[in-house]
Amino acid sequence: MVYWLSSSSDSSWRIFIYKELHIATNGFSDEKKLGEGGFGSVYFGKTYDGLQIVVKKLKSMNSKAEVEFAVEVEVLGRVRHNNLLGLRGYCADADHRLIV
């Protein structure tokens, strides 16, 4: 099941492909890992165009996780706070769900 996520006209995020994020994080290597939580791991990376990113890679996908992924992307796309990284985009490529 895929949920389409809307973006407002003032958003600056985009849809990433898995391969791009895989390369940016050196294959989600341990040396790029910043931490791990109940829903997944977080990695530091840099895109081909030099954008520094943090990628949250969700552990497993089921219908509940799919809904939570969509909600988290939607909320992060709207929230603005000094202590929160802004949403750069997401990846919903095959079975991969990543938030950038």
Side-chain angles (χ1 to χ4, degrees), residues 69-90:
F69 169 77
V71 168
E72 187 170 358
V73 170
E74 194 71 34
V75 168
L76 288 174
R78 295 173 193 230
V79 172
R80 302 291 182 263
H81 190 276
N82 291 338
N83 296 332
L84 183 65
L85 294 172
L87 179 71
R88 293 290 181 207
Y90 68 92

Side-chain angles (χ1 to χ4, degrees), residues 15 17 27 33 36 47 66 68 95:
I15 299 172
I17 60 171
K33 193 177 213 178
E36 188 166 351
T47 62
E66 187 82 25
E68 290 175 3
D95 291 334

Side-chain angles (χ1 to χ4, degrees), residues 41-53:
S41 300
V42 178
Y43 300 86
F44 172 78
K46 190 180 259 191
T47 62
Y48 65 92
D49 58 354
L51 179 66
Q52 292 185 3
I53 57 172

Side-chain angles (χ1 to χ4, degrees), residues 9-99:
S9 60
D10 66 340
S11 70
S12 60
W13 58 268
R14 65 184 179 101
I15 299 172
F16 290 84
I17 60 171
Y18 180 78
K19 182 178 180 180
E20 179 181 5
L21 298 176
H22 189 266
I23 291 169
T25 60
N26 197 24
F28 299 101
S29 68
D30 286 341
E31 66 186 27
K32 297 286 189 173
K33 193 177 213 178
L34 298 174
E36 188 166 351
F39 292 106
S41 300
V42 178
Y43 300 86
F44 172 78
K46 190 180 259 191
T47 62
Y48 65 92
D49 58 354
L51 179 66
Q52 292 185 3
I53 57 172
V54 175
V55 180
K56 180 178 181 181
K57 182 179 181 190
L58 300 183
K59 283 183 181 178
S60 62
M61 285 310 303
N62 56 40
S63 60
K64 183 178 179 185
E66 187 82 25
V67 170
E68 290 175 3
F69 169 77
V71 168
E72 187 170 358
V73 170
E74 194 71 34
V75 168
L76 288 174
R78 295 173 193 230
V79 172
R80 302 291 182 263
H81 190 276
N82 291 338
N83 296 332
L84 183 65
L85 294 172
L87 179 71
R88 293 290 181 207
Y90 68 92
C91 172
D93 192 3
D95 291 334
H96 305 288
R97 298 295 181 269
L98 301 105
I99 299 172

